[in-house]
Amino acid sequence: VHGRDGLNTLGDKAKSKNIKMCYHHHMGTGVMTMEHVGRLAEVTDPNLVSLCLDTGHLHFAKGDCLQFIDLYSARIKHVHLKNVRQHVMDRVYADNLSFKEAIQAGIFTVPGDKEGVLDIGAILKALAAKKFAGWLVVEAEQDPAKATPLKYAKMAREYLREVTGL
């Protein structure tokens, strides 16, 4: 069993254990872009295969987070909140860097980092408008030798407190 049948089979097995299977689109894999996610959504059962929205990976793949939410809100059960340094992304594409090189160059950062270009507040509002009730996970995906984890965790926490009041 492979492909859509494999995902539906895994989703069914997860459901039988009262677990939701959530597919994570990701740069450097077979499902990166909005087009890829669309094909995956078409061929999988929404009752068995939910979706993860990774804001950083979607932007890196030149996708639109608000459009993703509009199209797939009923299937989104998990969100990875991260931001993107656009100047790094532009260099990654211009120089044809690998995913690993993009991470090492610092393409990703946390919500609240002034270097990030995504409007995380608008993304959270769009999720709230669609009655999202799943997991929100802050991800940095940064080299800890270059970006002190505690500094960025505090930055994200302060930002999310300001934006959400929580």
Side-chain angles (χ1 to χ4, degrees):
V1 179
H2 55 70
R4 72 170 178 235
D5 294 332
L7 289 176
N8 285 328
T9 298
L10 288 173
D12 188 51
K13 288 180 186 220
K15 187 174 182 177
S16 75
K17 305 280 187 204
N18 202 27
I19 298 170
K20 285 187 169 104
M21 188 180 94
C22 201
Y23 193 93
H24 182 308
H25 60 93
H26 202 286
M27 288 301 288
T29 70
V31 181
M32 300 184 293
T33 66
M34 290 284 290
E35 181 182 348
H36 296 152
V37 172
R39 283 198 305 262
L40 181 130
E42 284 177 18
V43 300
T44 56
D45 183 339
N47 296 306
L48 301 175
V49 181
S50 299
L51 298 174
C52 171
L53 165 60
D54 188 306
T55 59
H57 283 272
L58 189 66
H59 183 77
F60 188 3
K62 300 181 180 180
D64 182 312
C65 294
L66 298 179
Q67 181 185 25
F68 189 103
I69 293 165
D70 191 49
L71 291 171
Y72 306 114
S73 61
R75 289 181 81 163
I76 300 170
K77 304 299 179 206
H78 193 86
V79 176
H80 289 179
L81 292 174
K82 72 169 68 81
N83 215 324
V84 176
R85 293 181 178 99
Q86 188 67 43
H87 68 280
V88 176
M89 182 175 144
D90 293 343
R91 185 168 62 94
V92 167
Y93 277 100
D95 295 346
N96 197 29
L97 300 180
S98 69
F99 178 69
K100 179 182 177 187
E101 291 168 323
I103 296 295
Q104 291 170 330
I107 191 164
F108 294 129
T109 189
V110 297
D113 186 340
K114 302 287 188 227
E115 288 190 56
V117 296
L118 292 177
D119 185 345
I120 300 294
I123 292 166
L124 291 171
K125 284 179 185 172
L127 287 165
K130 297 290 188 174
K131 308 286 189 235
F132 173 75
W135 283 87
L136 293 170
V137 176
V138 172
E139 278 194 324
E141 250 177 286
Q142 299 183 101
D143 180 346
K146 295 178 182 176
T148 307
L150 182 59
K151 173 186 171 183
Y152 284 88
K154 287 180 176 181
M155 183 187 300
R157 179 64 186 116
E158 182 181 316
Y159 172 79
L160 290 172
R161 186 176 286 122
E162 287 173 17
V163 170
T164 66
L166 301 173

